[in-house]
Amino acid sequence: MSAVSVAIGLCGYWTDYMGTVRRRCRRAQIERHRDPKSMSIATHMSSTSTVADGVLVINKEAGWTSHDIVAKIRAVLGRVKVGHAGTLDPAATGVLPVLVGRATRVSEYLVDWDKEYRAILRLGETTDTQDATGKVLARIDPSAVREEALCEAIARFRGPQRQMPPMYSAVKVGGRPLYKAARAGETVDRAERTIVIHALDILAVEGRDVTLNVVCSKGTYIRTLCADIGQALGVGGHLYALERRRVGPLSIDHALTVAQAEAQAAIGTLQRHLIGLDHVLDQLPVLALTEDQVRLALHGGAVSPAGMERLPASTEPVSVRLQNQAGRLLAIGIHDARTAGPIKIRKVLTEIESLD
């Protein structure tokens, strides 16, 4: 086959594909005009496909809160539960895991994931919020800071750390979020928390701005890290810009913007971008149930499947994925090796009617 024939064939395929997209969009517009109450993409989407349970990786833009993103995706999907795991500040960008359907029930297993950030530390300015949105409290010329001193300071912040949560944060003390106290001009006594900085590397230095790559444990405040590094250098500093590159296995390379998610929904292909629950939870050990055990587990009954003796030894209860013989995820159970008892059902993730 000649190159010309291949090109003609590809052009024909693309023309047919775009024609299909245009026809689907026209049908969606017609349906919205017929029913003024159904003005969202969700009307068209529900008529072409069923959205599965899973995690949608969204690339959050600056200026939107995490709740804004959830609201936008909920508007796209219609009558589907939507949540998120791992809040991003409004000024930050990057990976926000959006939980769809039954995935909203497993957020507790996602928040323990480590995270990777691209952060810009601006030296010489201390702000009340520790980031660029706050009021500048002090300015010191950072030009005297040498590369050797910067590298030495950075090295001190690698590994396990004790970090003080910032006043402008959602951490609650006495049931009250710290940011509410901060806005009222109050300073609240708060306890330091243990975090781990797995990796902290300098990517670039441009004048007073230092670009960092940070891999850290949950609960780490990057703006506090930047402020602490600035303080260690004696010139102060704050977080000037932040992009989250990764949450656990969820990378920005596979993330969609809200606009891209809306476009995928418009042609009925958004569900292709959902990461299934079994894959999201693959860090948990898995056991297969017999047919009798399946029905017992889906009604909340404890089970003792084969292979329990191979579960990881632990002094704490271990979460376990429970599947049927076909490999379908059914539930999450809790195994306590100290009692040598059956696995108790923690969360049921499949309706028994769907197996019949």
Side-chain angles (χ1 to χ4, degrees):
M1 181 180 294
S2 69
V4 173
S5 299
V6 171
I8 292 173
L10 290 174
C11 288
Y13 170 80
W14 180 250
T15 300
D16 291 342
Y17 173 75
M18 291 305 298
T20 300
V21 170
R22 285 193 291 270
R23 285 193 296 273
R24 287 179 172 177
C25 290
R26 281 199 296 271
R27 284 200 299 270
Q29 291 172 349
I30 292 171
E31 289 300 322
R32 287 198 296 272
H33 285 298
R34 286 177 180 173
D35 184 4
K37 297 180 180 179
S38 302
M39 297 297 289
S40 73
I41 296 172
T43 303
H44 173 65
M45 190 172 181
S46 62
S47 67
T48 58
S49 63
T50 300
V51 179
D53 306 307
V55 177
L56 187 64
V57 186
I58 292 294
N59 185 354
K60 189 186 89 64
E61 300 175 42
W64 289 352
T65 68
S66 300
H67 291 297
D68 289 338
I69 300 298
V70 168
K72 290 174 182 294
I73 298 301
R74 186 181 293 117
V76 169
L77 299 181
R79 297 179 180 179
V80 178
K81 289 184 177 180
V82 181
H84 69 83
T87 302
L88 272 177
D89 289 339
T93 64
V95 173
L96 181 70
V98 174
L99 314 180
V100 178
R102 288 187 178 89
T104 56
R105 304 191 61 207
V106 302
S107 61
E108 65 191 84
Y109 302 98
L110 279 59
V111 295
D112 286 338
W113 281 340
D114 67 339
K115 300 172 178 65
E116 183 173 357
Y117 294 92
R118 189 73 46 83
I120 298 179
L121 159 63
R122 173 156 288 182
L123 295 173
E125 289 184 351
T126 301
T127 71
D128 58 353
T129 60
Q130 300 181 335
D131 63 16
T133 67
K135 177 183 177 182
V136 176
L137 301 177
R139 287 188 173 93
I140 298 177
D141 183 3
S143 59
V145 175
R146 296 290 177 257
E147 182 179 349
E148 295 80 7
L150 178 60
C151 291
E152 289 176 4
I154 292 292
R156 298 205 299 268
F157 288 91
R158 297 187 183 112
Q161 306 282 319
R162 297 288 290 173
Q163 188 181 73
M164 180 74 72
M167 280 300 302
Y168 283 91
S169 68
V171 174
K172 292 183 178 180
V173 175
R176 185 188 185 195
L178 288 174
Y179 68 83
K180 290 188 176 181
R183 289 172 181 171
E186 304 171 13
T187 299
V188 178
D189 290 335
R190 54 210 189 274
E192 289 184 328
R193 302 193 297 185
T194 299
I195 62 166
V196 181
I197 306 297
H198 300 292
L200 180 59
D201 300 295
I202 300 172
L203 300 181
V205 179
E206 298 181 11
R208 57 179 176 164
D209 292 338
V210 182
T211 302
L212 302 170
N213 188 73
V214 186
V215 180
C216 57
S217 65
K218 70 169 184 176
T220 302
Y221 283 92
I222 304 300
R223 49 198 165 100
T224 300
L225 174 64
C226 287
D228 289 346
I229 293 173
Q231 184 177 17
L233 288 167
V235 297
H238 69 269
L239 175 65
Y240 182 70
L242 182 68
E243 179 188 50
R244 187 154 66 190
R245 306 282 300 175
R246 180 178 59 80
V247 176
L250 311 180
S251 169
I252 198 168
D253 295 334
H254 305 106
L256 299 175
T257 64
V258 169
Q260 289 171 332
E262 290 174 341
Q264 291 291 322
I267 58 175
T269 57
L270 183 59
Q271 67 178 35
R272 297 179 186 176
H273 297 273
L274 283 174
I275 302 173
L277 293 186
D278 210 24
H279 181 72
V280 169
L281 298 170
D282 65 359
Q283 76 276 16
L284 303 181
V286 61
L287 293 174
L289 305 181
T290 65
E291 186 174 342
D292 290 339
Q293 289 172 339
V294 165
R295 295 190 171 275
L296 181 60
L298 293 184
H299 283 100
V303 291
S304 297
M308 288 177 58
E309 69 280 358
R310 296 193 298 272
L311 291 175
S314 175
T315 57
E316 299 293 332
V318 175
S319 295
V320 182
R321 283 178 295 154
L322 299 175
Q323 298 178 343
N324 63 9
Q325 294 296 317
R328 179 173 177 178
L329 179 64
L330 306 175
I332 297 174
I334 298 293
H335 176 248
D336 192 340
R338 297 169 300 179
T339 64
I343 293 176
K344 297 180 180 179
I345 304 303
R346 170 102 169 112
K347 294 179 184 290
V348 174
L349 301 175
T350 297
E351 295 178 1
I352 193 168
E353 292 81 4
S354 66
L355 299 177
D356 296 333

